[in-house]
Amino acid sequence: MAEGGEGEDEIQFLRTVGILYALCLTHGISPSKCVCSAHALFASNLGLLSSETSCMRQNTGSKQQVGSNMASRGTAPHFWSDEETCLHRSGENRWMAQSDDSVSSWSCDQVARWLRHEGFGEYVEQMCTQHRLDGLSLLALTEADLRCPPLSITILGDIKRLTVALHRLQNQNQSQLEELGLWLSDPRPAGLSPCRSRSEWTFDRADKSRYNRSDCNGTEPRLRINHGSGCVPGASLCQTHSNGKCHQPLAGRLDPEVWKTIISSLYVFLVFGFTSFVMVIVHERVPDMRTYPPLPDIFLDSVPRIPWAFAMAEACGLILCYMFLLILLLHKHRSILFRRLCSLMGTVFLLRCCTMFATSLSVPGQHLKCASKTYADSWGKIQRALTIWSGFGMTLTGVQTCGDYMFSGHTVVITMLNFFVTEYTPRNWNLIHTISWVLNLFGIFFILAAHEHYSIDVFIAFYITTRLFLYYHTLANTRAYQHSRRARIWFPMFSFFECNVNGPVPNQYHWPFNKPAFMKTLIG
């Protein structure tokens, strides 16, 4: 029955064209207008076209598009006559009407027909056959997908024209995009704006259970256009290039991933315990001061010892700790901040365990009453380690250690806190940054002035801490090697903790409690 109905429609259409064509010739009207009028009259009953101008407008645009496409490929363009174009569009529109109205339910064959209809038939094999592009994936396609592997289209004109066609299709199917949890916040195609823009797919929480295609924890992206503050002529998609490969940035909602933060907390907790036990072992091996006197040191030999300096160094560390805790309380992404602090601090102190266990330096000053200390059994060592652990290795809590010189743990803590305070506060908070750096530098000076460490201990601690902080954040902010095999081998913790953090963490603040109300209003 369906085939019979379709044949009757075609017969009726041909009859209408013939009658109107004869009438037009009789009255001296252009044959092309007659054919388009017949098409519009017949198609209006099917809801395909609304007026004669629609056909003519599409005819003109089709000529320009096909001509430009073929010219860019070095092929001489061939234009259909107006009658051929209208009849061709009649067939295409009837196919569109007969196909499912939902683009998201298109098959690969229907997507292939759409590509041919838009003048991109040469990409049908690659996109529809090799990569099985259906209607749902067509709606989610972006310019970055066209540029990047596995498609890697290299003809710029085709990329831009296909991007425009995709945006036109997406704009015509806004309701479907919303049903799927995908929508365009800005209908303007990427690359057409004079300002820098970034097209990204971000996640709609309501559809998390329906789509699970993320690299790490199954977050479904949705497309959103983000505009930077500065205008860069000709700039389009913000992309990251590494080793000649293009990676599409996926910056969206930052998932706190509290369970990962708990794992990082356990990691640093265990590392501190292990460090305390290694410090007990090192104390047993501390060199005899009568046999191994203090090593020559330019700073220690030039600056007299200040007895209260080490307590002041620990006071600088406490002030920095309170500053960071306040920032952590007010920061919107506090879970990510604390996870990064724990992972970095644990890694540096794990390295410190290796260095101070491998080489035992002589005591840096005669004022230190350090001697090799032995314990009756393992339980005595564990008790001593627990004392150091519970007192955080600080003299302010009554903990005295010897032999743990290479490298300075106090310098590590002070420097790491300083870098976290300056990194996760706005750049225009100059007073906070100045105070943080002053505390860092004075803390290092007081450690040396107390003659508790050699200069090389402090220098190595500062260098390792700053380099590791900068390398970690550079990799995290640029997504370089984030999902590569090399990163999983050399930076396994980084790959695990940062796989869902896409780009720099914005410095946004809010009051986490409901009371007092004025703090909620003041901070947000």
Side-chain angles (χ1 to χ4, degrees):
M1 294 297 295
E3 294 179 357
E6 181 179 353
E8 294 177 359
D9 290 341
E10 292 179 355
I11 295 173
Q12 183 180 356
F13 171 69
L14 294 176
R15 289 176 179 174
T16 304
V17 171
I19 294 172
L20 287 180
Y21 188 76
L23 292 174
C24 290
L25 291 178
T26 304
H27 294 82
I29 302 176
S30 172
S32 61
K33 293 184 178 180
C34 292
V35 176
C36 286
S37 299
H39 170 268
L41 178 62
F42 180 77
S44 61
N45 295 328
L46 298 177
L48 302 179
L49 289 176
S50 59
S51 64
E52 174 186 350
T53 58
S54 173
C55 177
M56 298 303 297
R57 189 183 301 114
Q58 293 177 0
N59 185 13
T60 304
S62 176
K63 285 184 178 182
Q64 295 174 350
Q65 179 179 359
V66 173
S68 60
N69 286 352
M70 299 183 69
S72 64
R73 299 164 192 156
T75 305
H78 168 73
F79 295 126
W80 289 340
S81 64
D82 292 339
E83 295 88 341
E84 292 174 329
T85 301
C86 290
L87 289 173
H88 169 73
R89 289 198 175 273
S90 170
E92 292 288 347
N93 286 326
R94 278 184 292 168
W95 163 72
M96 294 287 290
Q98 293 166 4
S99 64
D100 196 330
D101 292 334
S102 176
V103 177
S104 60
S105 63
W106 281 5
S107 64
C108 295
D109 293 337
Q110 289 173 302
V111 172
R113 296 187 66 177
W114 179 84
L115 288 172
R116 294 189 185 95
H117 173 255
E118 294 293 334
F120 301 100
E122 64 183 85
Y123 299 111
V124 169
E125 174 69 20
Q126 179 185 11
M127 300 176 71
C128 297
T129 305
Q130 296 181 13
H131 299 290
R132 298 193 299 272
L133 200 71
D134 57 5
L136 180 62
S137 55
L138 183 66
L139 288 177
L141 204 63
T142 65
E143 181 175 346
D145 296 328
L146 302 177
R147 294 175 177 272
C148 302
L151 294 180
S152 300
I153 299 178
T154 57
I155 301 176
L156 181 60
D158 288 354
I159 293 173
K160 292 300 181 180
R161 283 186 289 271
L162 185 52
T163 301
V164 172
L166 287 171
H167 277 273
R168 184 166 60 245
L169 183 67
Q170 290 163 353
N171 291 332
Q172 293 171 354
N173 296 271
Q174 287 283 353
S175 59
Q176 296 182 38
L177 292 175
E178 293 177 1
E179 291 177 1
L180 298 172
L182 307 170
W183 61 85
L184 283 164
S185 61
D186 188 346
R188 178 173 46 205
L192 297 183
S193 170
C195 296
R196 182 184 304 170
S197 63
R198 180 171 63 188
S199 298
E200 300 163 340
W201 291 104
T202 56
F203 174 65
D204 182 10
R205 186 187 303 177
D207 291 333
K208 183 174 182 178
S209 60
R210 295 175 55 192
Y211 300 97
N212 188 7
R213 295 182 295 177
S214 173
D215 291 332
C216 298
N217 70 341
T219 53
E220 169 67 12
R222 73 184 178 195
L223 188 62
R224 180 172 60 188
I225 308 296
N226 291 334
H227 298 281
S229 57
C231 292
V232 179
S236 58
L237 291 175
C238 297
Q239 300 176 28
T240 301
H241 296 270
S242 173
N243 292 339
K245 294 182 179 181
C246 170
H247 303 277
Q248 179 184 359
L250 297 175
R253 172 181 171 271
L254 291 175
D255 191 346
E257 296 182 299
V258 179
W259 65 279
K260 287 186 179 180
T261 304
I262 295 175
I263 293 177
S264 67
S265 303
L266 293 175
Y267 167 70
V268 73
F269 189 74
L270 294 175
V271 168
F272 282 167
F274 181 69
T275 303
S276 302
F277 187 77
V278 172
M279 291 169 69
V280 174
I281 297 176
V282 168
H283 196 171
E284 290 183 326
R285 301 169 50 207
V286 65
D288 188 358
M289 295 179 63
R290 292 170 297 183
T291 307
Y292 301 97
L295 298 173
D297 188 283
I298 293 177
F299 187 91
L300 301 186
D301 295 341
S302 304
V303 178
R305 175 178 173 266
I306 303 175
W308 46 265
F310 201 65
M312 290 300 299
E314 293 184 344
C316 292
L318 285 176
I319 296 173
L320 280 170
C321 183
Y322 293 143
M323 291 174 61
F324 176 73
L325 288 177
L326 181 61
I327 294 171
L328 193 66
L329 174 67
L330 300 179
H331 206 283
K332 183 177 179 180
H333 307 290
R334 62 184 66 87
S335 178
I336 299 176
L337 268 65
F338 189 68
R339 181 167 70 241
R340 289 181 173 180
L341 176 69
C342 291
S343 60
L344 286 172
M345 198 77 78
T347 302
V348 177
F349 270 86
L350 194 60
L351 177 61
R352 181 172 182 259
C353 291
C354 300
T355 56
M356 66 182 180
F357 180 78
T359 304
S360 296
L361 299 179
S362 59
V363 179
Q366 296 291 343
H367 65 285
L368 295 173
K369 305 302 179 182
C370 288
S372 178
K373 188 174 182 179
T374 59
Y375 297 90
D377 52 11
S378 300
W379 177 243
K381 296 179 182 179
I382 294 175
Q383 285 183 321
R384 177 57 181 168
L386 290 175
T387 302
I388 299 174
W389 194 8
S390 60
F392 298 100
M394 299 173 61
T395 58
L396 292 179
T397 60
V399 176
Q400 297 291 336
T401 60
C402 288
D404 55 327
Y405 299 125
M406 178 59 69
F407 43 89
S408 171
H410 284 72
T411 303
V412 169
V413 174
I414 293 174
T415 304
M416 189 72 73
L417 290 174
N418 168 40
F419 270 65
F420 267 89
V421 168
T422 54
E423 174 70 20
Y424 294 105
T425 51
R427 294 292 178 259
N428 57 357
W429 288 19
N430 298 320
L431 179 62
I432 299 296
H433 297 171
T434 302
I435 294 174
S436 180
W437 270 105
V438 167
L439 290 172
N440 190 180
L441 297 178
F442 268 89
I444 292 175
F445 170 78
F446 286 136
I447 292 172
L448 292 173
H451 290 203
E452 293 285 340
H453 276 282
Y454 290 106
S455 301
I456 190 66
D457 301 345
V458 174
F459 174 78
I460 293 297
F462 183 83
Y463 183 83
I464 289 177
T465 305
T466 55
R467 294 313 97 183
L468 190 60
F469 180 92
L470 294 175
Y471 294 158
Y472 189 99
H473 283 76
T474 299
L475 292 174
N477 293 343
T478 61
R479 296 180 58 82
Y481 301 108
Q482 193 156 338
H483 301 293
S484 68
R485 182 173 176 270
R486 183 180 299 177
R488 289 193 295 271
I489 296 175
W490 291 101
F491 308 104
M493 252 190 333
F494 167 80
S495 301
F496 173 70
F497 287 138
E498 300 295 330
C499 63
N500 287 330
V501 181
N502 305 295
V505 175
N507 290 324
Q508 302 170 344
Y509 301 91
H510 75 98
W511 184 249
F513 310 106
N514 294 327
K515 295 181 180 180
F518 76 92
M519 291 295 293
K520 193 75 173 178
T521 305
L522 179 64
I523 301 177

